Amino acid sequence: MEFAYSPRCQDYLDKVRAFMDAHVYPNEATYAAQLAANGLERWQPLPIIEELKEKAKAAGLWNLFLPESEDGAGLSNLDYAPLSEEMGRVLWSSEVFNCSAPDTGNMEVLARYGTAEQKERWMKPLLAGEIRSAFLMTEPDVASSDATNISCSITRDGDEYVINGRKWWSSGAGDPRCKIYILMGKNDPDAVRHQQQSMILVPAGTPGITVVRPLNVFGYDDAPHGHMEVRLDNVRVPASNMLLGEGRGFEIAQGRLGPGRIHHCMRTIGAAERALELMVRRAMSRVAFGKRIADQSVWHHRIARARIDIESCRLLTLKAAWMMDTVGNKVAQKEIAMIKVAAPAMALKVIDDAIQVFGGAGVSQDTPLASAWAGIRTLRLADGPDEVHERAIARMEMKRLSNEG
Amino acid sequence: MEFAYSPRCQDYLDKVRAFMDAHVYPNEATYAAQLAANGLERWQPLPIIEELKEKAKAAGLWNLFLPESEDGAGLSNLDYAPLSEEMGRVLWSSEVFNCSAPDTGNMEVLARYGTAEQKERWMKPLLAGEIRSAFLMTEPDVASSDATNISCSITRDGDEYVINGRKWWSSGAGDPRCKIYILMGKNDPDAVRHQQQSMILVPAGTPGITVVRPLNVFGYDDAPHGHMEVRLDNVRVPASNMLLGEGRGFEIAQGRLGPGRIHHCMRTIGAAERALELMVRRAMSRVAFGKRIADQSVWHHRIARARIDIESCRLLTLKAAWMMDTVGNKVAQKEIAMIKVAAPAMALKVIDDAIQVFGGAGVSQDTPLASAWAGIRTLRLADGPDEVHERAIARMEMKRLSNEG
Amino acid sequence: MEFAYSPRCQDYLDKVRAFMDAHVYPNEATYAAQLAANGLERWQPLPIIEELKEKAKAAGLWNLFLPESEDGAGLSNLDYAPLSEEMGRVLWSSEVFNCSAPDTGNMEVLARYGTAEQKERWMKPLLAGEIRSAFLMTEPDVASSDATNISCSITRDGDEYVINGRKWWSSGAGDPRCKIYILMGKNDPDAVRHQQQSMILVPAGTPGITVVRPLNVFGYDDAPHGHMEVRLDNVRVPASNMLLGEGRGFEIAQGRLGPGRIHHCMRTIGAAERALELMVRRAMSRVAFGKRIADQSVWHHRIARARIDIESCRLLTLKAAWMMDTVGNKVAQKEIAMIKVAAPAMALKVIDDAIQVFGGAGVSQDTPLASAWAGIRTLRLADGPDEVHERAIARMEMKRLSNEG
Amino acid sequence: MEFAYSPRCQDYLDKVRAFMDAHVYPNEATYAAQLAANGLERWQPLPIIEELKEKAKAAGLWNLFLPESEDGAGLSNLDYAPLSEEMGRVLWSSEVFNCSAPDTGNMEVLARYGTAEQKERWMKPLLAGEIRSAFLMTEPDVASSDATNISCSITRDGDEYVINGRKWWSSGAGDPRCKIYILMGKNDPDAVRHQQQSMILVPAGTPGITVVRPLNVFGYDDAPHGHMEVRLDNVRVPASNMLLGEGRGFEIAQGRLGPGRIHHCMRTIGAAERALELMVRRAMSRVAFGKRIADQSVWHHRIARARIDIESCRLLTLKAAWMMDTVGNKVAQKEIAMIKVAAPAMALKVIDDAIQVFGGAGVSQDTPLASAWAGIRTLRLADGPDEVHERAIARMEMKRLSNEG
């Protein structure tokens, strides 16, 4: 065992940190101001992002996420994880490095399962940061964490597929730069349980698509990216847009979700680390009843637990990344499920304590805490709620012990 | 001991419930639509509220909150509590009954401590629902839960007082109907610890007042009521606007906060009760992995704990109300502090579980859950953070046992 | 509503407190010493108990528990509850007042369901404190919280019943004064679900009975009362020993458990109250790092939460008692289930915190904390584990909302 | 980073597991039986232990704990940790490998700080497993977690030191094989804060020593090892028994506690791992209300959380061990403090859940759960209570951020 980051990882980490210091933290206010200046026209890209993307490219900090591919920086999941954590300290900063969801997951899907043509048409501009993408999976009317419940239909009709359904939490689908959706639907409800689903490429703007409305997360619309409800009425796409083949949607989903979850977890850990930093600094700066808050033992308890829980979770996540690198995403599924449950729960507690020490400022726009909390709260629901992952972990434990006899 | 509501209370409760069924729940969507229609002009009263106020007056459901006064309905705190709980199921509904914060607290202050002239000028239109009011206590730059930290100055200058300071979380100060502020400041930093503060009436619109900006709670601006930051630069008011006398601000604050906290707690319990109801109904309506969520034991656990915790908290709050009625707010201070800590913690857990069972809908605008959670999260900070009340309770326990020897 | 104890209750409470002060607390060490003096012969009654029983009788503090009966003091459940709480401060003290489990439950069963002969033979000496009794319900081999799992057989054979089975957690069955068991078994496995079970009187010492061994609770054998494993091999009792009739065991169990649970809960609250008292006194008496522990905010938090949780739980339990008195044990089943879950969880937390402030003394024989904790931990399992009661509560909530539509 | 155990570690781990399977688990009942057979003479070594010690020596599994020394197996802390975890599955098994507290810590002290003579006289027979030792630090009358509170005096008198004081939780001091104590006392109350204390060797049986009584942990006396209260009245030892020099006791304590804590944490993780295994197997074997407990989602939740928390804690502990090996115990003090807090809290929760699924068997002598719980509960108090370590961690966080500016 060895707990130090690799030299390659450490080197990138130093660069990402320097970039954050030089370009991201100083522009948090700019970002807010540009968004506010848009008034009700909130679904517009912000100039500061495009500006910083150029700087990140120039610094060699671009597409860091893509393991086992010539198109990325060639970092393993393990080496990428600490970089992702760093980006998580400012939630919008991932896009600056072309490392933001759902594009990263979508690029991974195209890299692994796309045809040469699909890659040329969609992956290339995504890798270049010229367009963005959306992932249409979750549905409002069913418990879609159980993939067999998915009801959106994909029906073959000659050289085309016809798509009908309603999706929501389609993040980024309101962004004018968003040019392509990867959609999960059912092509054959009569097939065996996990071969009913397919994934297909749907260009934004195809007739029949309606972006119904933005969804809020605890009052935040998360503009300009946002989360959209999308209706698809007889949307027709060429048969060649099918990914991998009919009935293989579940298989792709499994492959897609592993890395996506690792990234979310690492960003979540970064957000928690920043919250702890803010909490400690605030506690050192305020006095109540004649004593610094930092000298009150209830805050010792909270700070210590935060440090313990962040570090535990980080190690758990890094181990999951290491397993993905060494034994593959499939064998690592228990470890991935574990961090999917553990990281958001940990961060919500840490951030909530940080909010508490800030008082009114903590829930307001004056700190990044409340928005981080709200965003991370959705991670206990997105890509399967906690309950689904806990069930999976428990069943794997049972299976292991049953096999041991 | 007797755990049944009094006939008088039960009678009012039936009427309030009937009113909620007939007029409030059916207009939740109207409220949202009218607010949305205001676009960026969000700090405007909504017609539906004014409409429903007339209906509530007609139904005899008006100013139910004011105990020991000819001006209210003459209900005790204990009899009012269940009504307040009922209103808490829809957060904006309290205003319909002229029972909403901060007006209730402000009216209580005027009723108890106001001069005849002050009552005529400000309390009368407040009781009539013609104007609204704000309470300017919290300050951004200090831990103002410790009242001795307050830095806003109130300086006598001839027949006037001159006020300088910065306040925030001044709820309702952006509402055009808001005509009067009750402001807490320091008139004498050299007096003994709890006689440095005064409360004074400051008419909205007095020169020198700037409503700086609205504050958000998580992503909610809580328009049209909202929470404002207010700057006061050499604001001059007549000396007769002083409440009760110089140096008596702390005393008034103590008297004001008891009933206000009871109301908040009861509304919080109402919000939790509604969340539990939504949680149970949702659990009964959704199927995952071949089983109703309602048949999964983790939800049995959560539903049972919610029922237990709501009921415990309700009894604790009702007992506090009973003590306020029987031995007075001062002797009831431990009980008031206890519910101030207990009710928000309880409700946050229940609502969070309800959010979880709803998935994406839970964090969105499609259920009242996320906004209830955010609003109640502020109650762990407002009127003194948990830590301050826990300290007070602990010290009262110690004193009790020290006296027992 | 009215939160004051009735004058009758308050009067008894004063007397019980005076008795505890005069006779129980001063003899805690005596009790321990007499038990230790028994050496390995631990299943012997202690002289101090018999001595104090006479004193309690003389003080009119005897059989306080039996509501709705001429044989007890005639106190309602609500009036008895605070007395039971008081006894819970010293776990063995209930016996002094002839108010200890399982005798109270067994006497209630005999009072309600016994024939005149059964009462004369067993209830009378129990009421007089001349003999003791045991309740044989739980079985080691099945999840007997689900009564349909019970496997002990009761088979009619002429004028007798023949009993075969294995029971455990038969508290008090090792006490030489224990003369009678009430046993739950199955007489007809083919009857409908809740009519398969019967309860029958089995005199201790009947041939075929083997008291196998004492069971420990976290290292405590709880001598001289203790918890026994009992084997019954072809044990024959007269047919007239059947209680109420074949197939009515479940019905009796339901009636028996309500009051028993209330008593356990109230005693648990008493134990928690005492732990809080010890915690506060200890915190006031010890200094670490230059500061009294009582001045450290983490202890403010714990003390305040303890006070809040104890008081909430007490009110919840008193309300359950009130409902049992006013609407009957059956309608009150949700309230009874609620306190069955809530009280032990609350007390375990409070006592654990008290242990923490005492350091090594807390886990040792030098405070009553560790033994109280261990005893109360069993209450999350006895008479149905938490999970069973949570399931019941949740299902009642669902039913209620389903009925409301 | 690299999460696989080293080949050397893995090799030892396989051997320890094989030994546990062959010799320890099959003798758990033997151990209990031999202890029971001792009757009231509980402070006698058990034959089975001496038997297994020979087997462990023969298998080359002896003194595995001692890093950086020729006397042990030469394993690093990191390589030893998984072995220690394995031993933690059966608490008494550590002694079999001569790896049990407090001997390991005492041997480390002698190895690091002992003179050649002290090593020859005491360390050699300890390493050979011929004698045992005790550590006399904690005192009943003060909060001795704050070392400056220690009141036992060590006074120079000619060629001797005279010791007076009262110690407790002196584990193993009742064992007839225990021949030597390492005692912490104060030689100079006027020296600077952390140079007042000394550590000195006190042979068992020196005149003036009284082993007052055994202390219980919950109801366990933990015989035959146990925890003793020891009084020292004018106990005289040669001046050469002083360790390292007067005033250096605190320094030795700091060095001693690091490895001891790692071992405790790893054993604690082993106990939790075993509890999880028992919990899962039990859940798979029992049916309630027509369903296997293993198929109820509340147990999915608990099993998953147990798996997550054990694995997180294990990684945290292994990282602490790695830091001790690479940067030294002093620099690793935050990591050591973190696991000192985290591991017991984690294990207590896991074991408590396991108890719950076992029902009555869980709290009894029929499973190892209750005794494991009780033993681990003391770890939240021993070697400094949680609060002390949380304070230390929080202060290190503050210092770090203060330095970063």
Side-chain angles (χ1 to χ4, degrees), chain A residues 39-40 139-146 149 168-169 193 213-220 229 282 286-290 293 298-299 302 352-353 355-361 363-366 369-371 373-374 377-378 380-381 385-388 390-391, chain B residues 39-40 139-146 149 168-169 193 213-220 229 282 286-290 293 298-299 302 352-353 355-361 363-366 369-371 373-374 377-378 380-381 385-388 390-391:
Chain A
L40 287 178
E139 302 185 359
D141 299 326
V142 293
S144 49
S145 60
D146 177 353
N149 281 337
W168 70 352
W169 300 103
R193 201 173 159 76
R213 57 167 182 161
L215 294 159
N216 290 351
V217 172
F218 284 85
Y220 299 101
E229 182 174 329
R282 174 77 171 197
R286 286 273 166 133
V287 169
F289 301 100
I293 290 174
V298 80
W299 291 103
R302 289 171 188 164
D352 192 71
D353 281 347
I355 287 172
Q356 188 67 13
V357 82
F358 271 91
V363 300
S364 81
Q365 63 270 51
D366 285 4
L369 297 167
S371 62
W373 191 95
R377 180 63 184 84
T378 66
R380 290 188 51 211
L381 304 165
D386 288 353
E387 291 76 11
V388 166
E390 290 174 351
R391 176 176 179 269
Chain B
L40 287 178
E139 302 186 357
D141 299 326
V142 295
S144 49
S145 60
D146 177 353
N149 281 338
W168 71 350
W169 299 103
R193 199 171 159 77
R213 59 167 181 159
L215 294 159
N216 290 352
V217 171
F218 288 72
Y220 301 100
E229 183 175 330
R282 174 78 171 197
R286 285 272 167 134
V287 170
F289 300 101
I293 290 173
V298 80
W299 290 102
R302 289 170 188 164
D352 192 72
D353 281 347
I355 286 172
Q356 188 67 14
V357 81
F358 271 92
V363 299
S364 81
Q365 63 270 50
D366 286 3
L369 297 167
S371 62
W373 191 95
R377 180 62 185 85
T378 67
R380 291 188 51 212
L381 304 165
D386 288 353
E387 291 77 10
V388 166
E390 290 174 350
R391 177 177 178 267

Side-chain angles (χ1 to χ4, degrees), chain D residues 13-290:
Chain D
L13 184 54
D14 293 343
K15 283 184 194 152
V16 169
R17 281 183 180 155
F19 191 94
M20 297 289 291
D21 286 339
H23 304 299
V24 176
Y25 302 126
N27 280 309
E28 289 190 85
T30 314
Y31 184 97
Q34 292 186 351
L35 180 57
N38 281 349
L40 286 178
E41 301 303 313
R42 296 173 65 74
W43 310 103
Q44 304 304 324
L46 302 182
I48 182 68
I49 292 287
E50 300 304 321
E51 219 174 275
L52 294 183
K53 277 161 72 175
E54 292 313 308
K55 289 205 164 78
K57 259 187 216 169
L61 300 172
W62 191 255
N63 289 334
L64 303 171
F65 70 98
L66 204 62
E68 302 166 42
S69 162
E70 295 174 356
D71 295 307
L75 294 168
S76 64
N77 284 296
L78 183 58
D79 281 346
Y80 174 59
L83 316 181
S84 185
E85 176 187 330
E86 211 60 25
M87 298 173 197
R89 297 171 64 96
V90 178
L91 283 174
W92 54 258
S93 75
S94 295
E95 187 182 352
V96 167
F97 306 100
N98 213 39
C99 290
S100 67
D103 295 327
T104 46
N106 290 340
M107 287 185 261
E108 288 216 43
V109 165
L110 287 164
R112 287 189 189 209
Y113 308 113
T115 61
E117 191 198 330
Q118 290 167 344
K119 286 185 190 176
E120 179 63 23
R121 177 81 183 84
W122 303 114
M123 191 172 99
K124 216 167 145 185
L126 279 169
L127 282 168
E130 294 162 6
I131 65 167
R132 298 208 60 187
S133 60
F135 186 59
L136 276 61
M137 173 125 179
T138 308
E139 302 185 358
D141 298 326
V142 293
S144 49
S145 61
D146 177 352
T148 59
N149 281 337
I150 278 181
S151 71
C152 177
S153 68
I154 304 177
T155 313
R156 182 76 184 235
D157 183 31
D159 283 350
E160 294 181 323
Y161 283 100
V162 187
I163 304 164
N164 279 286
R166 200 150 70 95
K167 296 286 181 180
W168 71 350
W169 300 104
S170 306
S171 299
D175 187 325
R177 298 169 302 169
C178 177
K179 299 301 182 198
I180 185 71
Y181 306 160
I182 297 183
L183 176 140
M184 172 97 149
K186 257 194 195 175
N187 65 296
D188 182 0
D190 300 324
V192 296
R193 200 173 161 75
H194 288 130
Q195 291 173 20
Q196 304 170 355
Q197 305 84 5
S198 299
M199 280 204 197
I200 196 162
L201 291 164
V202 182
T206 306
I209 292 175
T210 314
V211 175
V212 180
R213 58 166 181 161
L215 294 159
N216 290 352
V217 171
F218 289 73
Y220 301 99
D221 60 10
D222 292 337
H225 191 62
H227 319 281
M228 297 294 155
E229 182 173 330
V230 178
R231 211 176 52 236
L232 303 107
D233 299 306
N234 292 312
V235 174
R236 288 179 171 269
V237 297
S240 61
N241 279 21
M242 178 62 65
L243 280 161
L244 203 55
E246 286 193 13
R248 304 188 64 179
F250 190 80
E251 178 188 346
I252 301 175
Q254 291 301 92
R256 182 187 190 282
L257 292 174
R261 282 169 191 162
I262 281 275
H263 303 174
H264 271 316
C265 288
M266 290 307 303
R267 282 192 288 262
T268 298
I269 289 164
E273 188 70 57
R274 191 180 191 195
L276 171 56
E277 194 175 311
L278 290 168
M279 170 169 29
V280 172
R281 291 192 191 280
R282 173 78 170 198
M284 289 194 289
S285 74
R286 286 275 166 132
V287 169
F289 301 100

Side-chain angles (χ1 to χ4, degrees), chain B residues 121-136:
Chain B
R121 178 79 184 85
W122 303 114
M123 190 172 97
K124 218 168 143 184
L126 278 169
L127 282 167
E130 293 163 6
I131 65 166
R132 298 208 62 187
S133 61
F135 186 59
L136 276 61

Side-chain angles (χ1 to χ4, degrees), chain C residues 103-372:
Chain C
D103 295 327
T104 48
N106 290 339
M107 287 186 261
E108 288 216 45
V109 165
L110 288 163
R112 288 189 187 208
Y113 309 112
T115 62
E117 192 198 329
Q118 289 166 345
K119 286 184 192 178
E120 179 63 24
R121 178 80 183 84
W122 304 113
M123 191 172 99
K124 218 169 144 183
L126 279 169
L127 282 168
E130 294 162 6
I131 66 167
R132 298 207 63 187
S133 61
F135 186 59
L136 277 61
M137 173 125 178
T138 308
E139 302 185 357
D141 298 326
V142 294
S144 49
S145 61
D146 177 353
T148 59
N149 282 337
I150 278 181
S151 71
C152 176
S153 69
I154 305 177
T155 313
R156 183 76 185 235
D157 182 32
D159 283 350
E160 296 181 323
Y161 283 100
V162 187
I163 304 163
N164 279 286
R166 201 151 70 94
K167 295 285 181 181
W168 72 350
W169 300 104
S170 306
S171 299
D175 187 324
R177 299 168 304 170
C178 178
K179 300 299 183 200
I180 185 69
Y181 307 159
I182 297 184
L183 175 140
M184 172 97 148
K186 257 193 194 175
N187 65 296
D188 181 0
D190 300 324
V192 297
R193 198 172 161 78
H194 288 130
Q195 290 173 21
Q196 304 171 355
Q197 305 84 7
S198 299
M199 280 204 197
I200 195 162
L201 291 163
V202 183
T206 306
I209 293 176
T210 314
V211 175
V212 181
R213 58 167 181 162
L215 294 160
N216 291 351
V217 172
F218 285 84
Y220 299 102
D221 60 10
D222 292 337
H225 191 62
H227 318 282
M228 298 295 155
E229 182 174 330
V230 179
R231 210 176 53 235
L232 302 106
D233 299 307
N234 292 312
V235 174
R236 287 178 171 270
V237 297
S240 61
N241 279 22
M242 178 62 65
L243 280 160
L244 204 54
E246 286 193 12
R248 302 188 66 179
F250 190 80
E251 178 186 346
I252 301 174
Q254 291 302 90
R256 183 189 190 281
L257 293 175
R261 282 171 191 162
I262 281 275
H263 303 174
H264 271 316
C265 288
M266 289 307 301
R267 281 192 289 261
T268 297
I269 289 164
E273 188 70 57
R274 192 181 190 194
L276 171 57
E277 196 176 309
L278 290 168
M279 171 170 28
V280 172
R281 290 192 192 280
R282 172 79 171 196
M284 289 194 289
S285 74
R286 286 273 166 132
V287 169
F289 301 100
K291 200 157 55 171
R292 281 198 321 167
I293 290 174
D295 295 327
Q296 300 181 2
S297 61
V298 79
W299 291 102
H300 293 164
H301 172 70
R302 288 170 189 166
I303 291 168
R305 281 298 339 179
R307 168 49 63 228
I308 290 168
D309 294 342
I310 291 173
E311 184 66 15
S312 304
C313 231
R314 179 183 286 126
L315 292 170
L316 201 64
T317 307
L318 290 165
K319 183 173 176 187
W322 173 79
M323 286 195 63
M324 290 166 68
D325 292 332
T326 54
V327 297
N329 299 2
K330 202 176 167 62
V331 179
Q333 63 180 314
K334 184 157 76 176
E335 279 71 20
I336 295 171
M338 283 161 69
I339 56 167
K340 172 70 174 63
V341 172
M346 174 281 291
L348 290 169
K349 176 78 178 83
V350 173
I351 300 172
D352 191 72
D353 281 347
I355 287 173
Q356 188 67 14
V357 82
F358 271 92
V363 299
S364 81
Q365 63 270 52
D366 286 2
T367 67
L369 296 167
S371 63

